[in-house]
Amino acid sequence: MFESSKWITSEKDYGSAPRVYFRDLNIIKPLRKAVLHITAGGIYNVYVGNDKAGDVVFTPGWTVYDKHHMYQSYDITDLVAESDFLYVSVGSGWYAGRIKRSLPQKQFPCDFGIIAQIDLEYAGGLRETIVSDESWTVGTGNILESDIYDGEVYDANIKPTFEDAVKILDESKTQLTPQIGEYVVEHDIFEPKKIFTTPKGETVVDFGVNLTGYPFFEGLQARMGERVDLSFGEILDKDGNFYNDNYRTAKCQFTYICRDGEQSYKPHHTFYGFRYVRINEFPEGADPSILRAVDVYSDIERTGYFECGNEEVNQLFKNTIRGQKDNFLDIPTDCPQRDERLGWTGDAQVFCKTAMYNFNVNGFFNKWIYDMTLEQYENGGIPDMIPNAFGGVSSAWADSVCIIPWTMYQMYGNVDILKLAVPAMKKWVGYMRSFTDNEFAYVQDRSYGDWLGLDATEGSYDGKTDKSFLSDAFYAYSCSILAKAMAIIGEDNSEYLELYDNIVKEFKVRFADYTETQTACVIQLHFGLCDDRRAVTEKLVKLIRDNDTALTTGFVGTPYLLHALSENGEVELAYDLLLRREYPSWLYPVTVGATTIWEHWDGMKPDGSMWSDDMNSFNHYAYGAVCDWMYGVICGINPRNGKDEAGFRVFDIAPVPDKRLGYAKAELDTAYGRIVSEWKYEKDKFVYSFEIPEGTTAYVTVDGKTEILSAGKYTR
Ligand code: BGC
């Protein structure tokens, strides 16, 4: 592919305005087939005549461009039959925009450039190829400014010409590979739920949920020079006013300069995270209720469903689904609104199991983990975010290289991802090992720790749990995963089994009495790093009860908190935490109307005050990781790890009910069919029903009794 094509770009610097490349096709009809292969150093849209090729957006996605730059292929036969020219609009996107940050190795050479090949096949069988070269021309279109963080400014009055000569770039093509993973597409359309005037007198449209995508309008009547100018926010402040100081430097512009007459508009190369839209300017006499919003995310298929007798828990579950959609836009992002939107590894790691119950994200994570292996440093460190935007290596974040592929294996039976990741896992464990003084212990001086734990000192992001404790614990955990993964792909893992034993031995010596924080207890229990489980459990219970039955855990401890309790006989307390409505808790944001998961437990406190604007997203999925406890414990659907078991060919069903929920039901679509696990009370008696799909076997544990069952519908 692209043998004769050349990377082309513009000679002139047009600032952040998208470059538009133009080519007459001069097709000798009749044509049998026309296929376009293309990619860009930015985000591109292709148009043949006035029609967009493909219904995908944000191509070519965000990858490690210097090593893995995807191209896309479009069948444009029908479009070419109607029109004879083609143009490509390229916005700065992830390749050339502000988001790429400042790592030296990230100065890519083809900013705003494209490379293309069009394969034509005529009716008589004759073939011809059109490639990107000097025969194309370039210019700018109606978009004056475009950036993922800063939004778009569009002038409908410009009559664009694309007549400048292109500049040929002599750049590498070896990194160009076909698309893998899911495409990003537009999904649902949202109408305004409410349009209101705030106490400050501003007009605000409420779209009802915090979504990622963009607003658009059709059929707007306006006069030349009038504007549609919008600002975006996720939440209202305590007085009910529009608020978006938490977007930091992301300008998120939406400025449309009208021409005369009726017009429609949808932004092209940018996205916004928002629930509320403030109308800064709108054409005279026009009604903002014509605004619509569309959400945009990777085309992943929904697989998991959960509901129970508690409406607030159901809303928490829905908020997690919403947050996943909002942050699965080609890569798993921390948040979709402020000047980050980065593939933070820790966030994806803590959320990955929930993500894999909710949706089929096998292809999505395949692509991202591949990029992770490409971004791994020579010394084995894994950068904080993939693609790497500004470096760093931190325990629990970098351990995603072990945890995510292993979870993909468990949930999807994906052995290939283990084959891909095991060399990177070895390098990562080797990196940690290189810091040890005696083969056993490890002291880490740079880690985010239990990020955003509530036991942090006032104003700090770092939870109280000792950072070297966490590094050691994750070192052990990753080493155990590596050993298991090697066994699955048939490699001799004895070295790592021994290393694991040594790490654990040393860990127990150094941290035997370290039960100072909830997270410290949770990690020891869930990772199996303590001898006296009862004592550590009792300490954890005490820490929670002494804290008014409330959690203090941050990013690292929270995903395992309920598991650590329910695995150690404290089911009732686990439910107490899940069902707690007062701040701090999972349900507190629900009680104040949240539609997504907040970054901080104290993003907005009961008195209406907010955590500093500096780091306060209302759409961070990490704490939504609690949903894997809903599927896996409340309804008890769990994968098994054996070589022929993973991917739910053989699985467990072991529900752990609590009367307070009334009933609970989880459904999971697997490669074999749908698993259903449902329980309810009938006059104080638990009634369980299960469905086991064809070709699978389930170990069903009810009231402490285990049965091995094959496909069918059962009641117990
Ligand atoms: C991100 C996080 C991330 C963290 C690392 C933040 O800026 O939004 O979610 O994991 O940095 O500590």
Side-chain angles (χ1 to χ4, degrees):
M1 186 65 62
F2 300 123
E3 283 83 14
S4 317
S5 311
K6 295 173 181 162
W7 275 103
I8 56 176
T9 187
S10 61
E11 190 76 56
K12 280 192 211 151
D13 182 359
Y14 298 107
S16 80
R19 287 28 168 186
V20 181
Y21 299 86
F22 182 88
R23 175 70 154 81
D24 264 320
L25 297 177
N26 301 321
I27 305 262
I28 321 157
K29 291 172 171 126
L31 193 69
R32 192 181 288 160
K33 197 162 181 143
V35 179
L36 164 71
H37 312 279
I38 185 167
T39 194
I43 294 171
Y44 74 86
N45 287 332
V46 181
Y47 303 86
V48 181
N50 287 324
D51 294 317
K52 186 172 173 310
D55 55 4
V56 300
V57 290
F58 298 115
T59 44
W62 196 5
T63 55
V64 183
Y65 294 121
D66 48 339
K67 297 181 180 140
H68 172 219
H69 193 150
M70 303 194 298
Y71 65 85
Q72 290 71 36
S73 302
Y74 305 87
D75 186 331
I76 53 169
T77 318
D78 292 346
L79 297 179
V80 171
E82 301 292 322
S83 300
D84 214 14
F85 65 93
L86 175 146
Y87 63 99
V88 186
S89 168
V90 182
S92 58
W94 294 290
Y95 190 106
R98 280 220 287 137
I99 198 167
K100 71 177 179 174
R101 307 274 171 131
S102 54
L103 277 188
Q105 66 267 39
K106 295 293 160 189
Q107 304 308 318
F108 302 128
C110 302
D111 280 5
F112 292 98
I114 60 164
I115 187 162
Q117 171 175 329
I118 306 168
D119 295 329
L120 302 170
E121 190 187 325
Y122 296 102
L126 191 72
R127 286 165 194 272
E128 194 193 344
T129 301
I130 296 174
V131 297
S132 48
D133 59 12
E134 299 79 352
S135 64
W136 296 55
T137 52
V138 66
T140 52
N142 297 84
I143 306 172
L144 306 179
E145 288 173 45
S146 166
D147 183 82
I148 286 182
Y149 289 158
D150 293 337
E152 186 164 302
V153 179
Y154 186 100
D155 187 345
N157 298 291
I158 295 173
K159 299 260 170 299
T161 49
F162 320 112
E163 291 171 348
D164 295 344
V166 296
K167 179 174 154 191
I168 306 291
L169 293 169
D170 183 21
E171 290 301 338
S172 161
K173 301 176 200 170
T174 52
Q175 74 282 20
L176 300 173
T177 48
Q179 167 86 24
I180 55 169
E182 274 77 16
Y183 285 99
V184 178
V185 298
E186 295 178 350
H187 289 263
D188 296 318
I189 291 178
F190 297 78
E191 294 186 5
K193 205 173 154 207
K194 198 166 94 182
I195 300 180
F196 61 100
T197 306
T198 65
K200 274 194 187 161
E202 296 173 328
T203 304
V204 170
V205 180
D206 175 5
F207 279 101
V209 292
N210 197 6
L211 62 93
T212 301
Y214 25 75
F216 65 95
F217 55 79
E218 285 168 2
L220 173 74
Q221 281 292 346
R223 276 194 296 273
M224 185 175 152
E226 289 185 313
R227 285 167 182 250
V228 177
D229 191 88
L230 311 176
S231 294
F232 299 86
E234 298 179 281
I235 196 164
L236 301 174
D237 73 9
K238 66 171 186 295
D239 303 317
N241 284 313
F242 180 83
Y243 162 88
N244 70 359
D245 294 344
N246 61 333
Y247 287 34
R248 306 197 304 209
T249 71
K251 283 199 256 168
C252 303
Q253 303 173 96
F254 181 117
T255 304
Y256 174 85
I257 305 165
C258 305
R259 54 178 169 71
D260 272 329
E262 192 178 301
Q263 46 218 297
S264 305
Y265 170 69
K266 184 157 73 177
H268 300 77
H269 304 299
T270 191
F271 60 89
Y272 312 83
F274 63 101
R275 168 173 173 171
Y276 298 98
V277 168
R278 183 179 64 196
I279 311 287
N280 304 324
E281 285 183 63
F282 218 69
E284 213 186 309
D287 184 349
S289 68
I290 69 163
L291 288 174
R292 296 287 177 271
V294 62
D295 62 350
V296 176
Y297 55 94
S298 290
D299 203 9
I300 48 180
E301 190 194 331
R302 181 80 184 271
T303 49
Y305 305 85
F306 173 86
E307 65 171 80
C308 68
N310 180 311
E311 271 320 308
E312 288 174 341
V313 173
N314 291 341
Q315 187 63 43
L316 170 64
F317 179 79
K318 280 186 201 149
N319 292 358
T320 305
I321 297 284
R322 184 71 255 159
Q324 181 168 354
K325 291 177 177 176
D326 292 346
N327 283 292
F328 274 52
L329 198 159
D330 201 59
I331 58 161
T333 57
D334 56 336
C335 57
Q337 74 298 74
R338 70 177 177 223
D339 51 358
E340 292 215 46
R341 315 186 196 187
L342 300 167
W344 280 96
T345 51
D347 306 43
Q349 179 269 103
V350 305
F351 187 67
C352 74
K353 193 158 187 189
T354 291
M356 291 179 208
Y357 277 114
N358 287 340
F359 290 86
N360 182 344
V361 285
N362 197 23
F364 177 91
F365 272 121
N366 242 334
K367 161 182 167 283
W368 191 64
I369 293 293
Y370 174 55
D371 277 352
M372 187 180 288
T373 63
L374 296 177
E375 287 286 42
Q376 186 165 31
Y377 300 118
E378 267 310 295
N379 65 9
I382 298 283
D384 286 342
M385 71 289 292
I386 304 296
N388 192 359
F390 53 81
V393 180
S394 170
S395 290
W397 271 248
D399 291 283
S400 54
V401 73
C402 295
I403 296 170
I404 298 176
W406 179 249
T407 313
M408 291 167 75
Y409 163 71
Q410 292 179 302
M411 298 294 282
Y412 301 124
N414 185 343
V415 175
D416 289 339
I417 195 72
L418 296 183
K419 290 183 185 150
L420 172 78
V422 159
M425 294 182 188
K426 284 183 193 160
K427 277 173 75 181
W428 165 243
V429 169
Y431 171 88
M432 296 296 276
R433 199 174 185 177
S434 73
F435 288 90
T436 58
D437 47 11
N438 57 8
E439 277 271 301
F440 313 131
Y442 170 70
V443 180
Q444 163 92 326
D445 60 358
R446 188 181 188 283
S447 155
Y448 295 114
D450 191 21
W451 183 247
L452 308 187
L454 278 177
D455 48 11
T457 48
E458 186 61 28
S460 162
Y461 296 118
D462 303 358
K464 187 173 161 199
T465 307
D466 184 279
K467 289 182 178 177
S468 61
F469 165 91
L470 291 174
S471 289
D472 270 0
F474 275 85
Y475 176 32
Y477 189 46
S478 276
C479 187
S480 73
I481 289 175
L482 169 58
K484 285 188 281 191
M486 288 174 75
I488 295 297
I489 62 172
E491 286 189 22
D492 174 10
N493 63 2
S494 46
E495 177 188 347
Y496 293 99
L497 288 175
E498 194 187 328
L499 177 62
Y500 176 73
D501 285 345
N502 288 340
I503 301 169
V504 173
K505 230 179 277 162
E506 180 71 11
F507 182 95
K508 286 178 179 169
V509 172
R510 296 180 65 199
F511 297 111
D513 302 322
Y514 186 65
T515 52
E516 230 171 272
T517 65
Q518 292 182 14
T519 291
C521 299
V522 165
I523 294 289
Q524 287 182 61
L525 289 168
H526 192 66
F527 288 1
L529 295 173
C530 52
D531 288 325
D532 192 347
R533 296 186 80 84
R534 201 54 235 157
V536 178
T537 305
E538 273 164 22
K539 184 66 193 292
L540 175 59
V541 171
K542 183 168 164 29
L543 286 169
I544 297 169
R545 291 286 184 215
D546 287 354
N547 190 42
D548 189 28
T549 313
L551 50 72
T552 55
T553 48
F555 269 39
V556 176
T558 302
Y560 311 123
L561 172 61
L562 300 190
H563 290 283
L565 289 168
S566 59
E567 284 158 2
N568 291 286
E570 298 296 339
V571 171
E572 195 181 328
L573 179 55
Y575 271 102
D576 288 348
L577 289 179
L578 176 70
L579 296 173
R580 182 185 162 97
R581 305 177 71 242
E582 301 77 29
Y583 165 82
S585 64
W586 278 283
L587 291 187
Y588 166 67
V590 171
T591 66
V592 294
T595 59
T596 39
I597 305 295
W598 297 355
E599 178 176 25
H600 289 256
W601 298 117
D602 50 359
M604 186 187 241
K605 290 193 202 164
D607 66 2
S609 63
M610 299 213 198
W611 178 270
S612 116
D613 304 331
D614 188 41
M615 189 82 81
N616 200 13
S617 146
F618 292 91
N619 204 351
H620 250 64
Y621 51 52
Y623 293 150
V626 68
C627 290
D628 82 48
W629 195 80
M630 299 183 192
Y631 290 105
V633 180
I634 296 181
C635 290
I637 303 175
N638 272 297
R640 289 172 78 94
N641 299 337
K643 199 170 165 70
D644 301 315
E645 297 179 329
F648 292 93
R649 209 186 73 73
V650 183
F651 59 96
D652 291 322
I653 301 185
V656 179
D658 186 288
K659 231 177 177 176
R660 286 170 284 179
L661 279 196
Y663 78 94
K665 177 177 186 181
E667 294 168 285
L668 182 66
D669 289 328
T670 70
Y672 303 94
R674 179 166 284 199
I675 300 172
V676 182
S677 168
E678 190 175 3
W679 55 259
K680 58 178 185 235
Y681 281 94
E682 267 173 16
K683 291 189 193 138
D684 263 13
K685 191 176 155 252
F686 287 119
V687 179
Y688 298 91
S689 332
F690 305 103
E691 275 179 53
I692 301 168
E694 279 305 320
T696 69
T697 304
Y699 287 69
V700 180
T701 306
V702 178
D703 287 336
K705 221 181 81 214
T706 302
E707 298 171 85
I708 302 176
L709 300 171
S710 51
K713 290 188 180 183
Y714 301 88
T715 301
R716 289 287 179 274

